[in-house]
Amino acid sequence: MKKLIAILLAMLMVITIFAGCAETTTDESSSTDKESSVPAKDDEKEEESDTEEPSAEVADITIFIAENGNVDYPYSFERPAQAKIHELALNEYGLNLSYETAISTEFETILNTRFASGENLPDVVSHRYDDIKLNEVYNNGVIISIDDYEHPNFDEFLEEVPYLRIANGSADGKLLRFCEVFFNVSHITNGLNVRKDWLTELGMELPTTTEELREAVQAFQDNDMNGDGAPNEQLAFTDWKTMNYVLATAFGVQKMTDAKNSWCYTDDGKVYNSMVTDEAKAYCEYIASLYSQGLIWENFLNYTNDDYSAFKLANRYAGSCGRNWDGVLLPTEMNGYGLTCENTPIIPITDGTREPASVITNYAGSGGIMFTRDCDAPDRCVAFWDYFYTVEGHQLRYYGEVAPGGDYYVKDDSAHTALGLEPEVRNMIPTDKYNEESATMPDLRSSLGINQPMFPSASISGPGIVVAEYYLTFTPEICGDSARLEYMVPIYEWHLENGTYELSMIAANEEQAKVISDHADLFAYMDEQIKAFQSCVRDMSEWDDFVATCESMGLAEVTAVQQVRYDGYLAAMGE
């Protein structure tokens, strides 16, 4: 009987989807694109004489997630935008949501322990395991496959970006988690940002080479640009992996992050690890020279949030590597402190002997939502999280409003039209109230509970729409060129036209995963030694010894496994 009821419910949900009966928007443009999987209410369902009435029991659903690190605005369903999501889940899906958090530095350890014991499992987990660990917990029966339930809205994005299934699935192609799908140039590229306001004051141009970058930072120190009397203006390379990802290309390194992920391919499809190449050596020599000159923040490999906050408040920020949107986020934050900071993304620099190059991510989405075997209502949970891939779902999560909008965001395409851009159905713009409050409260979106990672969001946008959001939300007055279409659109278009897509692989099977996990000590050694070379702890004259040790620890064996996985990826993608 329960099986029959489940089948009927699934049929009714499909009918609801095609009828387009989502009631969360009054926007005319959205009404023709309704993909909502909100189930029909009981009084809208046809009664079946030979079946039982579906249970109206509410399921208590716990979402386990790492703390966001913002002590002022921890995760809470009491915040306005989160309250709307909670109300929708309760009233339309019969899900009573609550959060369970753990300190971010201990979160994965705690999660692994609970998954290993199989006890005290939450219903939903917000965390992005790497592909090996993801498949391990699935093969151990701890999480379920989302493909066991309907997810029609996410399916549309899987059709547009097929790699999403490979990056979020099992070795045999089953989808294991939902992810955020912001498929636009800002999410698949990284870059170097520099203090253009200081360069302009000194009459200097944006750097194009590694030596020009060195000269720029040295000039900042020589001219005491932050006015504190100390030569402490420095590059804030606070994300070691992204620093490698961005700057190593200047020396001809195809891709370099950490040892476990620094896999590249030759023109004839041969896989290798970039960390042991001559090009990686030249890159490490450069970083070591900047470090020895005091041009890189001395704490770049080991710092606390308080250290970083103090660094920014002292206005020591000379530049950084990261997402290009850092060019609007950092100036906005600094403006809240009463400081001016034009941290501008630039075309990738080179060593002066080669053309600029960048790495483009083979888009895998970001974040991850997994459902455990103990989830009280997996069918309703999958349907609810799938809702966020609709137009209305995206707006509710990302803007805290559903079209036509409300206090802080509205559906108004006139601004995009005025900028010469074709408006997108998902996009909304900030209201005057938002602009006024955010001018004195940079964390306004956090205080409202907007754009939180435990719910997915989905939008596929071109460079113009991406930069329009910078322009309309963060403004050129605060952020400078980072929020100007005439500057940032060409930057993004350059990456799309000139970037090289990174090597991607299918999920490892059990045997392959064992080979990789058995060489965890190799990866740890490689990361440790690369950091030592870059921070002048180990002399560059010992590079050949480092490479020989990596080979003796089994690098060739792991490379062979990665070759098979890469070949599998090419086959799966039809390449």
Side-chain angles (χ1 to χ4, degrees):
M1 184 63 73
K2 288 184 179 179
K3 184 175 181 181
L4 177 58
I5 294 172
I7 293 173
L8 289 171
L9 282 173
M11 293 174 63
L12 287 170
M13 287 173 64
V14 172
I15 293 170
T16 301
I17 294 165
F18 285 105
C21 61
E23 302 172 356
T24 54
T25 181
T26 59
D27 177 60
E28 185 174 337
S29 63
S30 297
S31 65
T32 60
D33 189 22
K34 296 205 185 290
E35 312 139 301
S36 176
S37 57
V38 177
K41 297 178 181 178
D42 288 344
D43 59 3
E44 295 173 343
K45 300 175 183 176
E46 295 182 8
E47 294 185 6
E48 297 288 343
S49 59
D50 60 343
T51 63
E52 300 175 1
E53 281 295 319
S55 172
E57 181 180 354
V58 172
D60 292 324
I61 301 298
T62 300
I63 305 169
F64 188 41
I65 186 171
E67 291 178 351
N68 61 9
N70 192 331
V71 295
D72 294 322
Y73 308 113
Y75 295 135
S76 170
F77 283 114
E78 294 182 0
R79 307 204 182 287
Q82 293 284 294
K84 294 176 186 177
I85 292 174
H86 189 276
E87 181 180 9
L88 173 69
L90 187 62
N91 294 340
E92 301 293 343
Y93 294 85
L95 304 175
N96 180 34
L97 306 179
S98 62
Y99 290 128
E100 178 188 356
T101 63
I103 186 170
S104 58
T105 55
E106 301 295 332
F107 178 82
E108 185 162 332
T109 299
I110 295 171
L111 179 62
N112 290 342
T113 300
R114 290 171 66 171
F115 274 5
S117 70
E119 300 176 357
N120 192 29
L121 297 179
D123 300 277
V124 181
V125 176
S126 177
H127 183 63
R128 191 171 183 85
Y129 274 134
D130 63 28
D131 60 339
I132 293 177
K133 187 65 178 180
L134 178 68
N135 276 262
E136 176 187 319
V137 295
Y138 172 67
N139 292 333
N140 290 340
V142 182
I143 63 172
I144 63 174
S145 168
I146 296 172
D147 283 342
D148 292 339
Y149 306 92
E150 297 292 326
H151 43 78
N153 304 309
F154 190 51
D155 282 341
E156 294 192 11
F157 287 94
L158 291 174
E159 291 177 4
E160 292 195 58
V161 192
Y163 181 65
L164 286 171
R165 178 174 289 277
I166 293 176
N168 298 283
S170 65
D172 58 357
K174 289 188 176 181
L175 190 66
L176 303 183
R177 64 186 170 204
F178 284 134
C179 65
E180 182 170 275
V181 184
F182 262 93
F183 188 45
N184 58 53
V185 67
S186 67
H187 286 75
I188 61 176
T189 61
N190 289 273
L192 172 65
N193 305 325
V194 296
R195 287 293 293 266
K196 185 179 180 182
D197 53 339
W198 287 352
L199 288 170
T200 300
E201 188 174 341
L202 294 174
M204 300 177 68
E205 299 295 325
L206 294 169
T208 61
T209 68
T210 53
E211 287 311 302
E212 287 176 1
L213 176 63
R214 183 198 307 274
E215 291 167 4
V217 181
Q218 187 64 64
F220 296 160
Q221 293 187 0
D222 292 343
N223 290 276
D224 191 20
M225 298 307 294
N226 64 7
D228 67 357
N232 58 7
E233 295 84 352
Q234 295 173 314
L235 295 166
F237 294 149
T238 53
D239 184 332
W240 179 69
K241 296 179 186 179
T242 305
M243 178 192 76
N244 295 335
Y245 197 91
V246 171
L247 293 183
T249 62
F251 298 87
V253 181
Q254 187 183 100
K255 176 194 172 183
M256 180 172 170
T257 56
D258 61 348
K260 191 175 180 180
N261 296 291
S262 293
W263 298 99
C264 302
Y265 55 95
T266 63
D267 290 341
D268 58 353
K270 299 300 182 183
V271 173
Y272 65 94
N273 192 292
S274 67
M275 277 193 168
V276 294
T277 62
D278 290 340
E279 291 81 2
K281 177 184 179 182
Y283 161 64
C284 288
E285 285 178 326
Y286 173 70
I287 295 299
S289 71
L290 293 180
Y291 185 83
S292 66
Q293 287 182 252
L295 302 181
I296 297 177
W297 186 32
E298 58 276 7
N299 295 337
F300 84 110
L301 292 175
N302 184 23
Y303 65 93
T304 66
N305 288 335
D306 287 343
D307 293 335
Y308 189 38
S309 295
F311 183 89
K312 289 183 288 187
L313 282 170
N315 199 17
R316 297 174 56 187
Y317 220 101
S320 62
C321 291
R323 297 295 192 189
N324 291 287
W325 62 59
D326 288 345
V328 292
L329 295 184
L330 178 68
T332 301
E333 180 183 0
M334 299 289 273
N335 183 259
Y337 301 145
L339 298 170
T340 299
C341 172
E342 191 175 357
N343 192 45
T344 305
I346 64 173
I347 297 294
I349 60 176
T350 81
D351 65 355
T353 69
R354 63 193 81 237
E355 292 297 314
S358 74
V359 185
I360 297 181
T361 301
N362 199 344
Y363 190 67
S366 60
I369 298 295
M370 302 176 288
F371 305 92
T372 75
R373 68 181 180 215
D374 288 352
C375 182
D376 278 349
D379 53 345
R380 282 181 279 164
C381 281
V382 171
F384 175 62
W385 263 266
D386 186 57
Y387 160 77
F388 289 94
Y389 295 102
T390 67
V391 171
E392 302 93 332
H394 168 78
Q395 291 172 340
L396 179 59
R397 190 270 202 184
Y398 191 71
Y399 299 107
E401 314 271 11
V402 173
D407 289 340
Y408 293 100
Y409 286 92
V410 292
K411 181 62 179 172
D412 181 353
D413 295 330
S414 60
H416 289 85
T417 303
L419 293 172
L421 299 170
E422 184 69 27
E424 295 187 357
V425 66
R426 283 171 163 78
N427 285 46
M428 300 175 73
I429 65 171
T431 62
D432 290 341
K433 180 177 181 179
Y434 176 91
N435 291 329
E436 291 169 3
E437 293 187 14
S438 64
T440 58
M441 187 178 183
D443 289 337
L444 177 60
R445 283 169 65 87
S446 294
S447 72
L448 295 172
I450 293 173
N451 198 24
Q452 301 296 297
M454 67 291 299
F455 302 105
S457 190
S459 181
I460 297 180
S461 305
I465 292 295
V466 173
V467 182
E469 182 169 5
Y470 299 167
Y471 175 86
L472 296 169
T473 302
F474 301 99
T475 76
E477 289 74 22
I478 293 175
C479 304
D481 281 349
S482 300
R484 292 191 176 99
L485 273 76
E486 63 271 23
Y487 180 83
M488 279 304 302
V489 170
I491 292 288
Y492 279 138
E493 289 178 341
W494 185 94
H495 283 282
L496 293 177
E497 293 169 3
N498 298 281
T500 299
Y501 278 88
E502 66 179 348
L503 179 146
S504 296
M505 298 174 278
I506 62 171
N509 61 31
E510 187 173 350
E511 180 180 349
Q512 293 166 341
K514 184 177 187 306
V515 172
I516 294 169
S517 63
D518 285 348
H519 288 82
D521 57 340
L522 166 64
F523 298 134
Y525 171 78
M526 293 172 73
D527 288 341
E528 178 185 80
Q529 297 308 306
I530 290 292
K531 290 177 180 178
F533 284 125
Q534 292 174 341
S535 59
C536 303
V537 172
R538 186 171 185 181
D539 192 88
M540 293 302 305
S541 63
E542 299 179 19
W543 181 267
D544 290 344
D545 292 337
F546 157 69
V547 174
T549 301
C550 293
E551 293 172 347
S552 69
M553 295 177 71
L555 180 59
E557 185 178 359
V558 184
T559 302
V561 166
Q562 306 296 50
Q563 181 73 59
V564 174
R565 295 178 64 201
Y566 177 56
D567 292 343
Y569 159 76
L570 293 177
M573 298 298 291
E575 298 183 15

Short mmCIF file of all heavy atoms in Angstrom, two decimals, residues 136-159:
data_model
loop_
_atom_site.label_atom_id
_atom_site.label_comp_id
_atom_site.label_asym_id
_atom_site.label_seq_id
_atom_site.Cartn_x
_atom_site.Cartn_y
_atom_site.Cartn_z
N GLU A 136 33.09 7.00 -1.63
CA GLU A 136 33.31 6.10 -0.50
C GLU A 136 32.09 6.06 0.41
O GLU A 136 31.62 4.96 0.78
CB GLU A 136 34.53 6.55 0.29
CG GLU A 136 34.80 5.73 1.56
CD GLU A 136 35.91 6.32 2.40
OE1 GLU A 136 36.93 6.76 1.82
OE2 GLU A 136 35.77 6.35 3.65
N VAL A 137 31.57 7.22 0.77
CA VAL A 137 30.42 7.22 1.68
C VAL A 137 29.18 6.68 0.99
O VAL A 137 28.31 6.07 1.64
CB VAL A 137 30.17 8.63 2.26
CG1 VAL A 137 31.33 9.07 3.13
CG2 VAL A 137 29.89 9.67 1.18
N TYR A 138 29.08 6.85 -0.32
CA TYR A 138 27.95 6.27 -1.05
C TYR A 138 28.07 4.74 -1.10
O TYR A 138 27.10 4.02 -0.83
CB TYR A 138 27.89 6.83 -2.46
CG TYR A 138 26.87 6.15 -3.34
CD1 TYR A 138 25.50 6.26 -3.07
CD2 TYR A 138 27.27 5.37 -4.42
CE1 TYR A 138 24.56 5.61 -3.86
CE2 TYR A 138 26.34 4.72 -5.22
CZ TYR A 138 24.99 4.85 -4.94
OH TYR A 138 24.06 4.21 -5.72
N ASN A 139 29.25 4.24 -1.42
CA ASN A 139 29.45 2.80 -1.48
C ASN A 139 29.27 2.14 -0.12
O ASN A 139 28.91 0.96 -0.03
CB ASN A 139 30.85 2.48 -2.03
CG ASN A 139 30.99 2.86 -3.50
OD1 ASN A 139 30.02 2.89 -4.23
ND2 ASN A 139 32.22 3.17 -3.91
N ASN A 140 29.50 2.90 0.95
CA ASN A 140 29.28 2.39 2.31
C ASN A 140 27.82 2.49 2.74
O ASN A 140 27.48 2.12 3.86
CB ASN A 140 30.16 3.14 3.31
CG ASN A 140 31.63 2.80 3.16
OD1 ASN A 140 31.99 1.77 2.58
ND2 ASN A 140 32.50 3.66 3.66
N GLY A 141 26.98 3.00 1.86
CA GLY A 141 25.55 3.06 2.15
C GLY A 141 25.13 4.18 3.09
O GLY A 141 24.04 4.14 3.65
N VAL A 142 25.98 5.19 3.27
CA VAL A 142 25.68 6.27 4.21
C VAL A 142 24.82 7.34 3.57
O VAL A 142 23.92 7.90 4.20
CB VAL A 142 26.98 6.90 4.76
CG1 VAL A 142 26.65 7.99 5.77
CG2 VAL A 142 27.84 5.83 5.42
N ILE A 143 25.06 7.64 2.29
CA ILE A 143 24.22 8.61 1.59
C ILE A 143 23.48 7.90 0.47
O ILE A 143 23.88 6.81 0.03
CB ILE A 143 25.04 9.78 1.02
CG1 ILE A 143 26.04 9.29 -0.03
CG2 ILE A 143 25.75 10.54 2.14
CD1 ILE A 143 26.75 10.42 -0.79
N ILE A 144 22.41 8.51 0.01
CA ILE A 144 21.59 7.92 -1.04
C ILE A 144 21.88 8.59 -2.37
O ILE A 144 22.46 9.67 -2.43
CB ILE A 144 20.09 8.05 -0.72
CG1 ILE A 144 19.69 9.54 -0.67
CG2 ILE A 144 19.76 7.35 0.60
CD1 ILE A 144 18.18 9.76 -0.51
N SER A 145 21.48 7.93 -3.45
CA SER A 145 21.56 8.54 -4.77
C SER A 145 20.32 9.39 -5.00
O SER A 145 19.18 8.93 -4.80
CB SER A 145 21.66 7.48 -5.86
OG SER A 145 21.47 8.06 -7.14
N ILE A 146 20.52 10.61 -5.43
CA ILE A 146 19.40 11.50 -5.73
C ILE A 146 18.60 10.95 -6.91
O ILE A 146 17.41 11.24 -7.04
CB ILE A 146 19.92 12.92 -6.03
CG1 ILE A 146 20.59 13.49 -4.78
CG2 ILE A 146 18.82 13.85 -6.49
CD1 ILE A 146 21.30 14.80 -5.02
N ASP A 147 19.24 10.15 -7.75
CA ASP A 147 18.54 9.58 -8.90
C ASP A 147 17.44 8.60 -8.51
O ASP A 147 16.67 8.17 -9.38
CB ASP A 147 19.54 8.90 -9.83
CG ASP A 147 20.32 9.89 -10.68
OD1 ASP A 147 19.87 11.04 -10.80
OD2 ASP A 147 21.39 9.52 -11.21
N ASP A 148 17.37 8.24 -7.24
CA ASP A 148 16.27 7.39 -6.80
C ASP A 148 14.95 8.15 -6.71
O ASP A 148 13.91 7.56 -6.46
CB ASP A 148 16.60 6.79 -5.42
CG ASP A 148 17.75 5.80 -5.48
OD1 ASP A 148 18.03 5.28 -6.58
OD2 ASP A 148 18.38 5.55 -4.44
N TYR A 149 15.02 9.47 -6.90
CA TYR A 149 13.84 10.33 -6.79
C TYR A 149 13.84 11.32 -7.96
O TYR A 149 14.85 11.53 -8.62
CB TYR A 149 13.84 11.09 -5.46
CG TYR A 149 13.98 10.16 -4.27
CD1 TYR A 149 15.23 9.86 -3.76
CD2 TYR A 149 12.86 9.55 -3.70
CE1 TYR A 149 15.37 8.99 -2.69
CE2 TYR A 149 13.00 8.68 -2.63
CZ TYR A 149 14.26 8.40 -2.13
OH TYR A 149 14.39 7.53 -1.08
N GLU A 150 12.69 11.94 -8.19
CA GLU A 150 12.56 12.88 -9.29
C GLU A 150 13.24 14.21 -8.96
O GLU A 150 13.10 14.73 -7.85
CB GLU A 150 11.08 13.13 -9.61
CG GLU A 150 10.32 11.90 -10.08
CD GLU A 150 10.78 11.43 -11.45
OE1 GLU A 150 11.16 12.29 -12.27
OE2 GLU A 150 10.80 10.20 -11.68
N HIS A 151 13.98 14.74 -9.93
CA HIS A 151 14.57 16.08 -9.77
C HIS A 151 14.56 16.77 -11.14
O HIS A 151 15.60 17.04 -11.74
CB HIS A 151 15.99 16.01 -9.20
CG HIS A 151 16.85 14.93 -9.80
ND1 HIS A 151 17.45 15.05 -11.04
CD2 HIS A 151 17.20 13.71 -9.33
CE1 HIS A 151 18.14 13.95 -11.30
NE2 HIS A 151 18.01 13.12 -10.28
N PRO A 152 13.37 17.07 -11.64
CA PRO A 152 13.24 17.58 -13.02
C PRO A 152 13.92 18.91 -13.26
O PRO A 152 14.37 19.19 -14.37
CB PRO A 152 11.72 17.70 -13.20
CG PRO A 152 11.18 17.84 -11.81
CD PRO A 152 12.06 16.97 -10.96
N ASN A 153 13.99 19.76 -12.24
CA ASN A 153 14.57 21.10 -12.45
C ASN A 153 16.08 21.04 -12.57
O ASN A 153 16.67 21.73 -13.40
CB ASN A 153 14.14 22.01 -11.29
CG ASN A 153 12.64 22.06 -11.15
OD1 ASN A 153 11.93 22.30 -12.11
ND2 ASN A 153 12.15 21.78 -9.95
N PHE A 154 16.71 20.22 -11.73
CA PHE A 154 18.16 20.05 -11.84
C PHE A 154 18.52 19.36 -13.15
O PHE A 154 19.58 19.62 -13.74
CB PHE A 154 18.69 19.26 -10.65
CG PHE A 154 20.20 19.25 -10.56
CD1 PHE A 154 20.92 20.43 -10.61
CD2 PHE A 154 20.89 18.06 -10.40
CE1 PHE A 154 22.31 20.42 -10.52
CE2 PHE A 154 22.28 18.05 -10.31
CZ PHE A 154 22.99 19.23 -10.37
N ASP A 155 17.63 18.48 -13.63
CA ASP A 155 17.88 17.77 -14.88
C ASP A 155 18.12 18.74 -16.03
O ASP A 155 18.92 18.47 -16.94
CB ASP A 155 16.71 16.85 -15.22
CG ASP A 155 16.73 15.56 -14.41
OD1 ASP A 155 17.79 15.23 -13.86
OD2 ASP A 155 15.68 14.91 -14.31
N GLU A 156 17.42 19.88 -16.02
CA GLU A 156 17.58 20.85 -17.10
C GLU A 156 19.01 21.40 -17.13
O GLU A 156 19.58 21.64 -18.20
CB GLU A 156 16.56 21.98 -16.95
CG GLU A 156 15.13 21.52 -17.14
CD GLU A 156 14.17 22.67 -17.27
OE1 GLU A 156 14.63 23.82 -17.43
OE2 GLU A 156 12.96 22.43 -17.24
N PHE A 157 19.60 21.60 -15.95
CA PHE A 157 20.96 22.10 -15.90
C PHE A 157 21.96 21.00 -16.25
O PHE A 157 23.02 21.27 -16.81
CB PHE A 157 21.25 22.70 -14.52
CG PHE A 157 20.56 24.02 -14.31
CD1 PHE A 157 19.33 24.08 -13.70
CD2 PHE A 157 21.14 25.19 -14.76
CE1 PHE A 157 18.68 25.29 -13.52
CE2 PHE A 157 20.51 26.41 -14.59
CZ PHE A 157 19.27 26.46 -13.97
N LEU A 158 21.61 19.75 -15.91
CA LEU A 158 22.48 18.64 -16.30
C LEU A 158 22.55 18.52 -17.82
O LEU A 158 23.58 18.13 -18.38
CB LEU A 158 21.97 17.33 -15.70
CG LEU A 158 22.08 17.19 -14.18
CD1 LEU A 158 21.39 15.91 -13.73
CD2 LEU A 158 23.54 17.19 -13.73
N GLU A 159 21.46 18.86 -18.50
CA GLU A 159 21.46 18.82 -19.96
C GLU A 159 22.37 19.91 -20.53
O GLU A 159 23.05 19.70 -21.53
CB GLU A 159 20.03 18.97 -20.49
CG GLU A 159 19.14 17.79 -20.20
CD GLU A 159 17.71 18.01 -20.67
OE1 GLU A 159 17.46 19.08 -21.30
OE2 GLU A 159 16.85 17.15 -20.42
#
